[in-house]
């Protein structure tokens, strides 16, 4: 079998700007590659071109990617152009390349070449040991996850313990973070181990302090290629700059490919300034802009361009359509009455398109915050449309939701041993393996539920004082919370339970990046509770949702956050929740001001440019957030979209100007909101006794509701009416909140 021949026409496939980026080989080069402009093709073709023209041998090119997938793709494409695999390549992710370098020079930092790279669990276990050995640290107030986040931020900035200045220091554990970091690093050396942050940190430190080793790499690498440069953090930037600023001016050949308009990862350390100051870092640098987009239609590109042009912190480029069928439909901006109507609108449009033969995998719902997925998940389930959550778990599969559901299951059913086992030591109550064994032994001996055994053991000296007291308080708490459930309703009971049990406080004290999102998910769970008459009804609903067959069909609607969507593309994209406070995120604005606003706008740009053919943006005048209806203002980004690129549907000026019947809010210590169940249409499931009321309303009659407008009664159950409203679809409300249409 003959080996494949090299591709001689590989340059002919490029457009003029792509070819310029490939053939500009000498000196520093920044390729600003807009969304859908073929950056991967440029990067791989440039790599192959260096080898095909003899400008470099395979081991003389350092090629850096952010993912193993991107590295594999580049390796395969280069091999295809060459007609054979290229051996000895320095091609891989930042961490993979630095691990390779560190094994060469491990002894300089006190390691052996066979050092172990610790995973996250091992890191946490080691850090907890360090904190326990240090003594005097309250692990509840200062959890190990928080210290790990502080240490990782330092490593992302290239800071060893010795390089931390007072300005860079942290107040974690009463200003003990730097000392704990130092102890952690020394212990890693003793174990002949490194964590992922060390791979870059150690190598950067070696290059900073050992001129001979840096000079050796300068002699080795004639060319450097970097993908997704806008996503680099400070230590990655320092490592690259050290390698690229060669004393030999003929070898300062660094080519960075990226898009400043798609820099959306500051929350994990990415510094947009790295790409913005490229020309300053590398004097004489050339910039090539890739502006021909082969993904999206003209209206989609026009909408995205008009929006991102509002940012000041950008190098600037304008995308133009490179597709032959580039005309397409304008971007739709849909104004809706409430968030429930929004979920219905998205579900129905997907269902209609599916009937016309559009594959479900080409539909994407891109949300700003993870908690938004729940309403769309439930709507898709109702319609029988299979879906998957990309880059995360489905709402009811998330750890914090499973924990909260276990609390609610046990609240409802004290004999639920599985639920009790999950929550009895979550958060930690000092009940270790021996304590759980004692509970199980007592339950088996008397053939009683674990909860009853716990109540009895809590009144004996079987357990140590601390877990005994904690267990007694927990069991008494459930007695109190069940009373609240009976008197004030399941939503208030759930909010009180999660607060007083310490569960939400556990996540408030957690310093990990995921903790705020987990708290928002818990708030969304309380909102979901408000849709059901009883706790039992809600638990049954969730059980049915969890039983959905994951393997029923291969084709699925894609549901994900905007951050997870970067690098992906779909025929049809839905962008819901474009409202002030949600998108742009109020928390981001509070923490970062104008800088964060620009990143939020870049995130909106990323969302729009995921669409090939159809993009639909939506916002709701009323959104039920964490159990409470609120009036929502349209996102400022909607006003920044060019009018000639969009079509507005619905009443963009809709506002909820009658909120007098909005329920009062119960705000727990953690900030979880729940509705106090009083008789309002926003809480139609109030189960308290009330005097009967004769109603002259009949099935099929037209009625008017202050919030939902006109509708038709479809069913009557005592004083509860099933009504299909003209604008908001089917709802169940109390008869006292509607009037006959003829009387309005």
């Amino acid at each position: 079998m003959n080996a494949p021949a090299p591709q001689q026409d590989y340059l002919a496939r490029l457009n003029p700007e792509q070819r310029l980026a490939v053939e500009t080989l000498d000196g520093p080069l920044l390729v600003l590659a807009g969304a859908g402009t073929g950056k991967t093709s440029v990067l791989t073709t440039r790599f192959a071109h260096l080898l095909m023209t003899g400008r470099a041998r395979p081991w003389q090119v350092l090629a850096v990617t952010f993912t193993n997938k991107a590295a594999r793709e580049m390796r395969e494409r280069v091999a295809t152009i060459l007609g054979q695999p290229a051996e000895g390549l320095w091609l891989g992710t930042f961490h993979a390349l630095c691990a390779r370098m560190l094994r060469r020079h491990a002894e300089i930092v006190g390691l052996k070449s066979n050092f172990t790279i610790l995973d996250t669990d091992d890191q946490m276990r080691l850090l907890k040991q360090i904190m326990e050995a240090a003594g005097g640290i309250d692990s509840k107030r200062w959890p190990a996850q928080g210290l790990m986040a502080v240490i990782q931020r330092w490593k992302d900035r290239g800071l060893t313990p010795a390089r931390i200045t007072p300005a860079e220091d942290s107040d974690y554990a009463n200003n003990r973070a730097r000392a704990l970091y130092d102890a952690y690093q020394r212990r890693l050396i003793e174990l002949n181990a490194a964590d992922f942050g060390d791979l870059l940190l150690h190598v950067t430190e070696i290059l900073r302090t050992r001129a001979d080793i840096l000079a050796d790499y300068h002699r080795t690498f004639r060319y450097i290629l970097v993908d997704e440069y806008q996503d680099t953090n400070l230590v990655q930037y320092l490592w690259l700059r050290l390698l690229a600023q060669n004393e030999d001016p003929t070898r300062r050949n660094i080519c960075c490919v990226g898009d400043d308009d798609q820099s959306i990862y500051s929350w994990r350390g990415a510094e947009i300034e790295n790409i913005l100051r490229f020309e300053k870092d590398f004097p004489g640098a050339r910039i090539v802009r890739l502006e021909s987009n082969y993904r999206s239609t003209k209206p989609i590109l026009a909408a995205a361009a008009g929006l991102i042009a509002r940012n000041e912190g950008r190098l600037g480029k304008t995308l133009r359509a490179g597709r032959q069928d580039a005309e397409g439909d304008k971007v739709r901006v849909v104004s809706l009455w409430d968030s429930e109507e929004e979920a219905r609108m998205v579900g129905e449009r997907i269902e209609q398109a599916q009937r016309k033969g559009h594959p479900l995998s080409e539909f994407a719902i891109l949300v700003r915050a993870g908690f938004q997925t729940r309403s769309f998940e439930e709507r898709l389930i109702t319609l029988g449309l299979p879906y998957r959550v990309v880059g995360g778990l489905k709402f009811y599969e998330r750890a914090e939701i499973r924990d909260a559901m276990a609390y609610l299951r046990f609240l409802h059913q004290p004999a639920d041993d599985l639920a009790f086992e999950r929550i009895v030591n979550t958060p930690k109550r000092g009940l270790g393996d021996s304590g759980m064994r004692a509970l199980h032994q007592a339950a088996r001996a008397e053939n009683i539920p674990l909860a009853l055994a716990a109540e009895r053991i809590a009144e004996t000296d079987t357990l140590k004082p601390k877990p005994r007291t904690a267990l007694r308080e927990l069991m008494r708490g459930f007695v109190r919370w069940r009373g609240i459930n009976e008197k004030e309703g399941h939503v208030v009971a759930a909010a009180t339970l999660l607060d007083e049990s310490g569960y939400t406080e556990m996540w408030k004290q957690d310093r990990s990046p995921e903790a705020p999102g987990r708290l928002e998910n818990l708030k969304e769970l309380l909102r979901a509770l408000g849709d059901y008459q009883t706790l039992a009804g809600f638990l049954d609903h969730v059980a049915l949702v969890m039983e959905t067959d994951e393997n029923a069909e291969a084709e699925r609607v894609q549901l994900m956050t905007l951050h997870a969507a970067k690098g992906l593309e779909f025929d049809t994209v839905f962008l819901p929740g474009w409202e002030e406070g949600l998108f742009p995120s109020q928390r981001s604005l509070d923490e970062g001001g104008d800088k964060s606003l620009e990143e939020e706008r870049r995130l909106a740009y990323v969302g729009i440019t995921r669409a090939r053919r159809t993009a639909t943006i939506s916002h709701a005048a009323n959104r039920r957030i964490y159990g409470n209806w609120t009036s929502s203002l349209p996102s400022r980004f909607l006003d920044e979209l060019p009018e000639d690129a969009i079509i507005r549907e619905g009443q963009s000026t809709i506002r909820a100007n009658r909120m007098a019947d909005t329920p009062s809010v119960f705000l727990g210590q953690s900030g979880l909101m729940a509705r106090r169940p009083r008789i309002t249409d926003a809480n139609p499931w109030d189960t308290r006794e009330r005097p009967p009321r004769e109603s002259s309303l009949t099935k099929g009659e037209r009625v008017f509701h202050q919030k939902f407008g006109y509708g038709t009664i479809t069913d009557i159950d005592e004083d509860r009416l099933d009504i299909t409203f003209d604008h908001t679809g089917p709802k169940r409300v109390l008869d006292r909140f509607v009037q006959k249409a003829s009387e309005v």
Side-chain angles (χ1 to χ4, degrees):
M1 183 174 178
N2 295 329
Q7 294 181 359
Q8 302 299 328
D9 63 343
Y10 62 92
L11 292 176
R13 304 173 186 178
L14 305 176
N15 66 32
E17 55 199 16
Q18 291 173 333
R19 185 158 182 165
L20 178 61
V22 167
E23 294 185 314
T24 303
L25 299 179
D26 297 324
L29 172 69
L30 176 62
V31 180
L32 287 178
T37 57
K39 75 173 180 63
T40 303
S41 179
V42 166
L43 202 60
T44 55
T45 305
R46 181 184 172 89
F47 196 158
H49 188 59
L50 289 169
L51 304 183
M52 291 283 281
T53 58
R55 296 290 292 263
R57 307 296 293 167
W59 55 87
Q60 293 177 318
V61 181
L62 178 68
V64 193
T65 67
F66 266 85
T67 66
N68 290 315
K69 179 182 177 182
R72 284 194 303 271
E73 184 178 359
M74 186 181 297
R75 189 182 302 273
E76 291 168 0
R77 289 198 186 190
V78 169
T80 298
I81 294 174
L82 296 178
Q84 62 182 9
E87 303 295 338
L89 297 179
W90 279 83
L91 166 61
T93 64
F94 281 95
H95 289 99
L97 292 170
C98 283
R100 182 175 171 182
M101 289 181 172
L102 186 56
R103 294 200 187 277
R104 282 186 167 190
H105 312 292
E107 71 284 350
I108 296 175
V109 294
L111 294 170
K112 298 176 182 177
S113 61
N114 65 342
F115 63 83
T116 300
I117 301 174
L118 300 186
D119 61 21
T120 303
D121 289 341
D122 288 336
Q123 292 174 42
M124 291 304 305
R125 188 158 51 250
L126 178 58
L127 201 58
K128 288 176 181 177
Q129 293 173 6
I130 297 295
M131 294 174 69
E132 289 173 6
I137 299 175
D138 183 348
S139 61
K140 290 185 178 180
R141 184 180 180 189
W142 306 106
Q145 293 93 331
L147 179 58
M148 180 55 71
V150 172
I151 290 174
Q152 190 57 56
R153 283 197 297 273
W154 280 332
K155 291 187 177 184
D156 285 346
R157 299 190 64 77
L159 297 173
T160 63
R163 289 185 181 274
I164 296 172
T165 65
E168 294 278 0
D169 209 345
S170 167
D171 61 358
Y172 182 91
N174 299 318
N175 299 308
R176 298 179 67 181
R178 182 179 174 279
L180 292 168
Y181 176 26
D182 187 51
Y184 172 68
Q185 292 300 97
R186 284 188 278 107
R187 183 59 178 151
L188 283 170
I189 297 297
E190 292 171 2
L191 295 171
N192 192 34
D195 63 22
F196 280 97
D198 284 330
L199 300 177
L200 274 150
L201 182 70
H202 284 323
V203 173
T204 301
E205 195 65 15
I206 289 169
L207 298 180
R208 277 171 160 174
T209 58
R210 290 291 299 269
D212 56 329
I213 294 175
L214 179 60
D216 185 51
Y217 282 116
H218 282 167
R219 286 189 293 271
T220 299
F221 299 133
R222 289 178 174 270
Y223 294 91
I224 298 175
L225 306 177
V226 187
D227 192 13
E228 302 285 10
Y229 190 59
Q230 78 282 346
D231 292 336
T232 53
N233 62 29
L234 188 54
V235 72
Q236 291 164 342
Y237 161 80
L238 293 172
W239 177 73
L240 285 169
R241 194 177 66 174
L242 284 164
L243 291 170
Q245 291 182 333
N246 201 312
E247 291 186 3
D248 182 349
T250 66
R251 294 200 175 193
R252 294 175 190 163
N253 303 317
I254 182 171
C255 171
C256 293
V257 179
D259 184 2
D260 51 327
D261 291 335
Q262 295 188 72
S263 180
I264 58 174
Y265 295 125
S266 67
W267 50 275
R268 67 184 190 195
E271 300 266 1
I272 190 175
E273 288 79 9
N274 294 348
I275 193 170
L276 296 180
R277 67 178 173 224
F278 187 87
E279 291 178 283
K280 181 178 180 181
D281 288 333
F282 303 101
R286 185 167 185 178
I287 296 181
V288 173
R289 290 171 168 82
L290 304 184
E291 298 176 312
S292 293
N293 176 285
Y294 296 97
R295 174 190 301 158
S296 306
T297 60
K298 288 180 180 179
I300 291 172
L301 296 179
L307 179 67
I308 200 63
R310 301 295 185 110
N311 273 6
E312 295 181 2
R314 63 190 297 258
L315 296 171
K317 61 185 172 304
T318 302
L319 295 181
R320 58 182 181 274
R323 289 172 40 169
Q324 292 182 350
D325 58 338
E327 295 306 319
D329 296 330
K330 292 185 177 182
V331 174
R332 298 185 180 276
V333 177
V334 185
S335 301
L336 300 155
W337 176 255
D338 61 21
S339 48
E340 294 178 3
E341 185 183 8
E342 181 179 57
R344 282 197 302 276
M345 179 272 293
V346 171
E348 288 164 4
R349 293 191 182 192
I350 292 175
E351 190 177 40
Q352 290 167 5
Q354 185 199 25
R355 292 197 194 104
K356 297 178 182 178
H358 295 280
L360 290 179
S361 59
E362 287 301 335
F363 294 93
I365 305 171
L366 310 182
V367 298
R368 174 61 183 88
F371 73 85
Q372 290 176 262
T373 67
R374 191 198 64 82
S375 60
F376 295 102
E377 288 184 54
E378 298 205 356
R379 188 62 191 166
L380 293 172
I381 289 170
T382 299
L383 294 172
L385 297 175
Y387 70 94
R388 73 184 183 107
V389 178
V390 178
L393 296 170
K394 293 183 177 181
F395 184 80
Y396 290 109
E397 293 174 350
R398 295 166 185 171
E400 66 277 11
I401 299 303
R402 286 186 177 273
D403 288 344
M405 290 300 300
Y407 269 104
L408 297 179
R409 283 167 48 198
F410 184 66
L411 180 71
H412 174 64
Q413 176 50 270
D416 190 335
D417 283 358
L418 292 176
F420 182 74
E421 280 187 282
R422 185 174 184 113
I423 59 96
V424 68
N425 206 37
T426 306
K428 298 292 184 184
R429 297 185 174 92
L431 205 69
D433 292 340
S434 60
M436 289 304 299
R437 277 196 300 270
L439 287 179
H440 279 285
Q441 289 169 359
R444 284 195 299 268
E446 300 187 50
N447 195 27
I448 57 177
L450 280 175
L452 186 53
E455 289 178 358
R456 295 179 180 179
I457 285 180
E459 302 303 327
T460 70
D461 59 358
T462 303
L463 302 176
K464 294 179 180 179
K466 182 179 178 181
R468 183 170 68 238
T469 300
L471 187 60
R472 185 187 302 124
E473 290 179 355
L474 179 66
M475 302 316 296
R476 291 176 179 175
F478 271 104
V479 172
R480 183 169 63 257
W481 301 324
R482 290 188 181 106
I484 294 174
N485 185 37
E486 292 177 3
K487 294 179 181 178
E488 298 191 66
H490 58 290
V491 184
V492 176
T496 307
L497 180 160
L498 292 175
D499 272 339
E500 295 183 355
S501 67
Y503 186 73
T504 51
E505 183 63 22
M506 177 184 79
W507 290 118
K508 285 186 69 178
Q509 294 299 324
D510 190 306
R511 302 296 182 90
S512 68
E514 296 82 13
R518 294 186 191 277
L519 283 168
E520 290 189 349
N521 289 336
L522 291 173
K523 294 174 183 177
E524 177 61 18
L525 179 67
L526 290 182
R527 195 216 73 75
L529 270 168
D531 289 340
Y532 293 85
Q533 180 179 3
T534 64
L535 179 58
F538 176 71
L539 294 174
D540 286 346
H541 163 75
V542 174
L544 293 172
V545 168
M546 296 297 286
E547 283 297 314
T548 301
D549 183 9
E550 274 295 307
N551 298 313
E553 296 182 46
E555 286 289 330
R556 300 182 185 281
V557 176
Q558 311 296 299
L559 184 57
M560 70 195 81
T561 64
L562 286 160
H563 284 101
K566 186 173 176 292
L568 303 178
E569 55 185 79
F570 309 91
D571 281 348
T572 301
V573 168
F574 292 93
L575 299 161
W578 281 41
E579 295 135 28
E580 286 296 303
L582 181 55
F583 192 38
S585 160
Q586 190 60 50
R587 188 172 70 205
S588 294
L589 299 186
D590 291 343
E591 293 175 358
D594 290 343
K595 185 176 180 179
S596 289
L597 175 60
E598 294 214 343
E599 179 156 335
E600 291 286 297
R601 191 177 283 113
R602 291 194 294 271
L603 194 55
Y605 171 85
V606 166
I608 295 172
T609 55
R610 297 312 92 196
R612 296 191 194 103
R613 299 183 180 280
T614 306
T616 300
I617 301 169
S618 58
H619 68 98
N622 303 288
R623 187 167 295 274
R624 189 158 49 179
I625 301 178
Y626 317 139
N628 190 47
W629 281 106
T630 61
S631 176
S632 301
L633 295 175
S635 169
R636 68 191 74 186
F637 297 154
L638 297 177
D639 292 332
E640 297 173 359
L641 297 170
E643 289 296 329
D644 57 356
I646 64 175
I647 294 177
R648 298 189 185 271
E649 298 180 9
Q651 300 178 36
S652 61
T653 58
I654 287 179
R655 296 289 184 273
N657 51 20
R658 282 194 62 92
M659 302 300 291
D661 58 350
T662 299
S664 59
V665 174
F666 171 78
L667 189 61
Q669 293 176 350
S670 68
L672 294 187
M673 286 186 184
R675 295 171 299 177
R676 287 210 181 277
R678 61 189 181 86
I679 304 173
T680 73
D681 61 302
N683 183 19
W685 301 114
D686 181 37
T687 58
R688 293 179 297 174
E689 291 187 6
R690 50 188 178 268
R693 172 191 170 191
E694 292 186 5
S695 174
S696 60
L697 296 172
T698 59
K699 187 175 178 180
E701 188 167 14
R702 293 283 290 172
V703 293
F704 177 80
H705 184 278
Q706 290 282 9
K707 179 176 289 185
F708 304 125
Y710 288 95
T712 303
I713 299 174
T714 58
D715 197 14
I716 300 176
D717 180 10
E718 296 183 347
D719 60 346
R720 295 167 186 152
L721 308 176
D722 286 335
I723 303 174
T724 299
F725 290 99
D726 297 348
H727 295 291
T728 58
K731 294 184 184 295
R732 175 168 283 194
V733 300
L734 294 176
D735 59 9
R736 68 193 64 207
F737 293 104
V738 300
Q739 295 173 266
K740 292 184 178 183
S742 60
E743 298 175 356
V744 177

